[in-house]
Amino acid sequence: MLGVTAAGAIFAYLVEDTHHALLQHITRIQVIPQDDYLMMDNFTLRNLEILSPSSPQGKSLLDIIDKTSTPMGGRLL
């Protein structure tokens, strides 16, 4: 819950102190339960070759499982 409070404080700072005008896309702040997702740091993503291969001729896991045919499908994946 402290994260939501901190995010709200940052949002208030942007709106009130910096008068940032391009914030209409932010419509809500919510907590994402960590039990629902697996969090991986950059070191883990790189070593497991999830997003990019470690060698130029290699393939990432994403390259192998991405059989989507539309951009929307790719975003969903």
Side-chain angles (χ1 to χ4, degrees):
M1 212 51 171
L2 293 175
V4 173
T5 303
I10 292 169
F11 189 73
Y13 167 75
L14 288 172
V15 171
E16 296 168 8
D17 295 343
T18 66
H19 304 289
H20 202 287
L22 300 175
L23 300 173
Q24 298 85 355
H25 63 284
I26 302 174
T27 58
R28 64 186 172 144
I29 298 171
Q30 69 181 34
V31 175
I32 298 175
Q34 290 186 351
D35 295 341
D36 294 346
Y37 299 92
L38 174 64
M39 302 294 186
M40 288 189 265
D41 60 9
N42 287 335
F43 179 79
T44 304
L45 290 171
R46 184 179 66 242
N47 285 319
L48 293 177
E49 300 183 35
I50 304 287
L51 301 175
S52 59
S54 59
S55 64
Q57 68 275 13
K59 285 192 168 222
S60 70
L61 177 62
L62 184 60
D63 292 333
I64 293 169
I65 66 171
D66 185 2
K67 304 294 183 209
T68 59
S69 57
T70 65
M72 186 175 284
R75 286 191 296 273
L76 181 61
L77 176 63

